[in-house]
Amino acid sequence: MTRPGFAFSTRFRVRYAEIDGQKVVFNSRYLEYADVAVSEFWEWTGIEAALGAAWTETEFHVRRAEVDYLRPFVLGDTIEAFVRISRIGTSSLTQHFELCHAETGALHTVIDMVIVNVHLPTGQPLPIAPPIRAHIAALPAG
């Protein structure tokens, strides 16, 4: 399935361990879905192969996550997770996720997540390196 504004998506199924007694996905699992999707997204971008240590030695931490639960996923649903970088700041990126039902295309969840480039020894924000910024800015818009 395609979705305007997105060049990347990945699919996965709702598993038994992710549901409650009513077979509805636990709220906390939606952020796990975003984590799975963004891991696939970064692989799709080719950033590690292109930049090597400039990427693998960069550390992003979640600063803020906003989840808009529009409708639940249930056991057996196939989720199609769409991912894009919606903003590149000085030291942060905003990742935008739309989790849709893969068969119907219905939008179930919208997640906006701000991640900050962190200097690990001090825990302080660090500007995003120019090669990383350039690679992300050159990604297809969808």
Side-chain angles (χ1 to χ4, degrees):
M1 173 172 40
T2 61
R3 192 158 184 82
F6 293 89
F8 171 82
S9 71
T10 187
R11 289 182 175 206
F12 42 86
R13 289 180 61 81
V14 173
R15 300 171 301 171
Y16 181 78
E18 299 164 348
I19 61 168
D20 62 16
Q22 290 74 42
K23 298 183 182 172
V24 173
V25 172
F26 287 111
N27 292 341
S28 63
R29 297 293 184 162
Y30 291 81
L31 290 175
E32 291 180 35
Y33 293 158
D35 189 56
V36 168
V38 82
S39 294
E40 297 288 329
F41 171 79
W42 289 122
E43 186 174 323
W44 169 81
T45 69
I47 197 166
E48 184 175 351
L51 302 180
W55 176 249
T56 59
E57 294 176 9
T58 298
E59 180 66 27
F60 284 95
H61 291 185
V62 174
R63 171 69 170 92
R64 182 180 64 80
E66 181 179 314
V67 183
D68 191 2
Y69 301 99
L70 303 171
R71 60 179 66 158
F73 286 107
V74 298
L75 180 63
D77 281 349
T78 298
I79 299 168
E80 185 157 9
F82 294 86
V83 183
R84 71 172 177 244
I85 303 299
S86 60
R87 180 180 173 279
I88 304 172
T90 301
S91 62
S92 67
L93 299 173
T94 302
Q95 302 169 132
H96 182 77
F97 303 84
E98 293 187 6
L99 306 182
C100 299
H101 193 283
E103 282 79 35
T104 68
L107 178 61
H108 282 232
T109 310
V110 176
I111 301 171
D112 285 298
M113 185 179 298
V114 177
I115 58 174
V116 177
N117 184 25
V118 175
H119 180 251
L120 284 177
T122 64
Q124 296 300 307
L126 188 68
I128 298 168
I132 294 172
R133 178 180 302 281
H135 189 90
I136 293 168
L139 294 174

